[in-house]
Amino acid sequence: AQKVTQAQTEISVVEKEDVTLDCVYETRDTTYYLFWYKQPPSGELVFLIRRNSFDEQNEISGRYSWNFQKSTSSFNFTITASQVVDSAVYFCALTRGDTGTASKLTFGTGTRLQVTL
Amino acid sequence: GAGVSQTPSNKVTEKGKYVELRCDPISGHTALYWYRQSLGQGPEFLIYFQGTGAADDSGLPNDRFFAVRPEGSVSTLKIQRTERGDSAVYLCASSLGTSGTYNEQFFGPGTRLTVL
């Protein structure tokens, strides 16, 4: 069975602070994908990143960066110089990588990020 | 182009009633998923369609829940004899369903179901 743990329920930071959201996963699959989604107050899930289990390179996209470490089964997400618009619930998710066409996503419980002025 | 749409956006019903929730996937997407998101939780998988057939319905909680996709496009999630515990946001997602490569899931805005 697959499991995603996001131990941080809620984080509050002041604008321009850096913040890291933690994600720990469990899977017996050798091939899998990891994701981060953002859910703003409007409710729609917004895709941020997908990472293949074979690719442990860290990735940076603007103020966002992701640190994937298979040795600790973690896929952490850092926002640099946070902004009020970053306020949302962030979900880490996992899916099998060997199902060909499609596979269901297993989500964590989410981390609510509140960025204040 | 148009994204995944879901109707209604909000549905309030009474315990014991029957409800239908509709999902219009992105045109050309053969794979369609239903998830349920309870308050303060992450989305939980319910059922997945590839074309017209349900390829994986392992997430449906019980036989009160049923979903169809008769023409391989629009899908309807049907809940019989609703219970207060069914209150949640029901999310639909679609993807290309192309074999041999990962296909991104695109989510709709969800239907918020409240059972009184």
Side-chain angles (χ1 to χ4, degrees), chain A residues 18-29:
Chain A
D18 299 347
V19 58
T20 295
L21 310 181
D22 297 333
C23 172
V24 174
Y25 63 92
E26 297 176 30
T27 181
R28 293 183 180 180
D29 298 315

Side-chain angles (χ1 to χ4, degrees), chain A residues 7-112:
Chain A
Q8 303 152 308
T9 305
E10 190 161 347
I11 301 175
S12 286
V13 299
V14 176
E15 202 175 41
K16 297 182 185 175
E17 286 185 6
D18 299 347
V19 58
T20 295
L21 310 181
D22 297 333
C23 172
V24 174
Y25 63 92
E26 297 176 30
T27 181
R28 293 183 180 180
D29 298 315
T30 54
T31 304
Y32 51 91
Y33 292 96
L34 293 161
F35 304 80
W36 276 94
Y37 283 86
K38 175 181 180 179
Q39 190 172 47
S42 61
E44 198 153 346
L45 278 168
V46 177
F47 166 81
L48 296 178
I49 190 172
R50 168 170 53 91
R51 173 62 74 207
N52 185 306
S53 56
F54 292 119
D55 183 2
E56 285 192 73
Q57 279 193 328
N58 292 331
E59 182 157 339
I60 299 174
S61 177
R63 296 184 298 108
Y64 295 170
S65 62
W66 291 270
N67 183 345
F68 175 28
Q69 293 194 350
K70 287 180 77 171
S71 60
T72 56
S73 297
S74 65
F75 186 44
N76 297 338
F77 173 30
T78 297
I79 302 175
T80 303
S82 60
Q83 300 176 0
V84 171
V85 293
D86 296 327
S87 297
V89 180
Y90 290 85
F91 291 98
C92 181
L94 169 68
T95 190
R96 296 179 62 183
D98 62 348
T99 54
T101 57
S103 182
K104 59 190 177 188
L105 292 165
T106 298
F107 286 86
T109 51
T111 297
R112 180 177 299 277

Side-chain angles (χ1 to χ4, degrees), chain B residues 20 26-27 38 45 48 56 67 71 73 82 90 100 115:
Chain B
E20 289 190 353
I26 293 172
S27 178
S38 300
F45 169 78
Y48 150 59
D56 183 353
E71 297 177 358
S73 177
T82 52
Y90 290 81
V115 181

